[in-house]
């Protein structure tokens, strides 16, 4: 497993890499002390997970997150100095998957890293029909790839999870709590911004692809739904 830690503070880097080493002794841990180098390594080193600090000497972690999301759907865990909701929401909206508040204990780091990886792997290994196909839309549940009109749709790992739950329940309302529980776990029920920020990112992403225009996204009191409209219904 390849882990990329984008952080200029060597003390923090040591704690993070030591705790990861406890759980994954064979992991290859790389450090990028600047944002620019981090973006470059995210592209070339094919990391399985990126741990990203907000405070960096050149470009900040938000900019790094947004640039990485331009070409990769690697899970990103952000490090924030305190439980600053604004920072957290901004990070989530830019495509981060989770966050850890500094200073943290190694066990906490491990639990978070484990949870993120488990979530990503679970969706991909789920033993359901491997291919969902309706009209121009094709979702391959085996590798998490989404295509519309033969064009790939790039979704971050958490957006993919939400999309997965909505599309496998197409036309039905999926309750907020059920989405939160299955994606993050019950302990995230008190952090509704996790879901709302990712929902708005998913909507924005889908809107960026004109070939997904027959997907109708609806938001109501009960939760969210995604409906596939046939071509005839579009007019
Ligand atoms: Ca830093």
């Amino acid at each position: 497993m390849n882990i990329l830690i984008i952080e200029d503070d060597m003390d923090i880097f040591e704690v993070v890499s030591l705790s990861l080493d406890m759980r994954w002794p064979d992991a290859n841990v790389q450090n990028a002390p600047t944002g620019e180098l981090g973006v470059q390594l995210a592209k070339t080193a094919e990391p399985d997970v990126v741990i990203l600090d907000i405070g960096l000497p050149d470009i900040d972690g938000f900019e790094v997150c947004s640039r990485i999301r331009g070409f990769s759907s690697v899970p990103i865990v952000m490090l924030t100095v305190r439980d600053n909701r604004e920072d957290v929401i901004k990070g989530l909206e830019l495509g981060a998957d989770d966050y850890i508040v500094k200073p943290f204990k190694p066990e906490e780091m491990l639990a978070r890293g484990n949870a993120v990886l488990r979530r990503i792997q679970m969706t991909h290994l789920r033993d359901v029909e491997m291919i969902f196909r309706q009209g121009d839309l094709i979702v391959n549940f085996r590798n998490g790839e989404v295509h519309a009109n033969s064009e790939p749709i790039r979704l971050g790992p958490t957006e993919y999870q939400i999309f997965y739950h909505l599309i496998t329940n197409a036309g039905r309302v999926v309750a907020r709590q059920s989405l939160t529980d299955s994606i993050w776990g019950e302990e995230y029920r008190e952090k509704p911004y996790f879901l709302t920020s990712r929902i708005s990112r998913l909507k924005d992403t889908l809107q960026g692809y004109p070939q997904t225009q027959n997907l109708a996204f609806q938001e109501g009191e009960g939760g969210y739904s995604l409906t596939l409209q046939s071509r005839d219904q579009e007019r």
Side-chain angles (χ1 to χ4, degrees):
M1 183 164 69
N2 288 325
I3 300 166
L4 172 61
I5 303 173
I6 308 176
E7 165 67 288
D8 57 318
D9 182 333
M10 281 306 117
D11 291 339
I12 301 284
F13 170 71
E14 286 295 315
V15 179
V16 176
S17 71
L18 275 176
S19 36
L20 293 170
D21 195 53
M22 277 159 44
R23 171 69 177 73
W24 295 285
D26 298 329
N28 170 31
V29 180
Q30 269 189 299
N31 175 237
T34 65
E36 291 285 357
L37 185 62
V39 173
Q40 201 181 319
L41 285 177
K43 206 175 270 178
T44 55
E46 298 187 347
D48 297 295
V49 62
V50 171
I51 316 275
L52 170 63
D53 188 40
I54 293 176
L56 295 166
D58 52 346
I59 49 174
D60 69 19
F62 299 120
E63 173 71 19
V64 173
C65 181
S66 147
R67 287 204 205 167
I68 293 177
R69 274 293 168 262
F71 59 83
S72 167
S73 55
V74 62
I76 299 176
V77 180
M78 292 199 88
L79 300 176
T80 65
V81 177
R82 55 202 176 275
D83 215 340
N84 182 329
R85 246 180 77 146
E86 275 176 27
D87 280 0
V88 169
I89 293 173
K90 191 171 172 190
L92 293 171
E93 282 177 351
L94 289 169
D97 297 285
D98 210 331
Y99 73 99
I100 298 173
V101 178
K102 297 193 284 190
F104 49 83
K105 298 192 180 91
E107 309 88 74
E108 198 185 338
M109 172 75 223
L110 265 186
R112 238 43 192 281
N114 254 332
V116 169
L117 287 169
R118 196 188 58 229
R119 264 184 249 143
I120 309 305
Q121 286 161 355
M122 257 173 51
T123 317
H124 287 225
L125 295 176
R126 219 177 275 254
D127 191 19
V128 290
E129 273 187 60
M130 290 304 185
I131 305 277
F132 174 93
R133 186 190 297 262
Q134 189 161 344
D136 298 333
L137 184 75
I138 299 172
V139 186
N140 185 337
F141 295 123
R142 223 177 130 85
N143 57 17
E145 284 176 4
V146 181
H147 283 81
N149 237 337
S150 311
E151 297 278 329
I153 309 284
R154 192 185 294 284
L155 300 175
T158 308
E159 283 77 63
Y160 172 75
Q161 302 239 336
I162 295 174
F163 183 76
Y164 167 90
H165 286 286
L166 295 180
I167 204 75
T168 48
N169 290 289
R172 290 195 292 270
V173 173
V174 183
R176 286 182 181 80
Q177 200 175 80
S178 132
L179 276 173
T180 303
D181 287 4
S182 44
I183 296 173
W184 292 280
E186 287 176 22
E187 66 272 28
Y188 283 74
R189 281 186 191 173
E190 282 160 26
K191 295 176 178 173
Y193 49 91
F194 261 75
L195 182 61
T196 50
S197 65
R198 312 325 296 274
I199 287 277
S200 70
R201 193 175 159 82
L202 174 64
K203 269 158 62 179
D204 288 351
T205 307
L206 292 176
Q207 269 166 13
Y209 292 93
Q211 66 271 33
T212 63
Q213 61 186 352
N214 59 334
L215 284 177
F217 196 98
Q218 261 143 359
E219 182 172 353
E221 286 207 0
Y224 304 97
S225 70
L226 204 54
T227 308
L228 285 140
Q229 297 169 322
S230 74
R231 291 279 166 199
D232 306 337
Q233 284 175 309
E234 268 172 39
R235 301 163 179 246

